[in-house]
Amino acid sequence: AMTEGQFCGVGVEVDMEGPALEVIAPLDGSPAAKAGIKPGDMIIRINDTPVQGLTANQAIMMMRGKKGEKVTLTIFRKGADKPLIMTLVREEIKLQNVRSELL
């Protein structure tokens, strides 16, 4: 699976929602979390590329890249009067294969 092990990226869990990538959750301590990306944010652009027309996989691959490289996300957030533009620096993301939750 694509999600196992380590890769360099911004550390955000996303789902394709029409013309945008909906943020399900930023991973704890990830560049996305530090930048203040929130669940429900809609990523509409990655660098200069509109997300509309991309597959979820293509969009995810665009957010990944070399450690220390920057990626600029344009985000639509409900209640914000204009899109937010955030520049994140890719870091090594360690994925927990099992997310344990205390019930």
Side-chain angles (χ1 to χ4, degrees):
M2 294 292 302
T3 53
E4 277 171 25
Q6 293 176 325
F7 61 90
C8 291
V10 297
V12 68
E13 212 177 304
V14 290
D15 195 24
M16 204 70 181
E17 203 45 70
L21 273 181
E22 182 176 3
V23 174
I24 306 302
L27 303 178
D28 288 345
S30 68
K34 290 177 204 157
I37 289 176
K38 299 185 167 119
D41 282 355
M42 298 296 223
I43 299 171
I44 52 177
R45 237 170 216 273
I46 302 165
N47 292 325
D48 294 325
T49 307
V51 168
Q52 189 165 11
L54 298 176
T55 65
N57 218 28
Q58 285 171 322
I60 289 164
M61 292 317 288
M62 286 181 69
M63 286 193 283
R64 293 183 182 178
K66 293 193 180 81
K67 186 177 179 171
E69 275 186 358
K70 290 181 174 161
V71 60
T72 300
L73 302 179
T74 305
I75 290 167
F76 177 78
R77 180 176 286 170
K78 280 191 185 76
D81 49 4
K82 56 178 199 242
L84 309 170
I85 296 172
M86 297 186 180
T87 300
L88 285 67
V89 177
R90 293 179 177 113
E91 288 176 15
E92 207 168 276
I93 307 295
K94 291 182 180 66
L95 285 176
Q96 293 78 25
N97 287 340
V98 179
R99 213 195 233 155
S100 57
E101 286 175 1
L102 292 171
L103 299 177

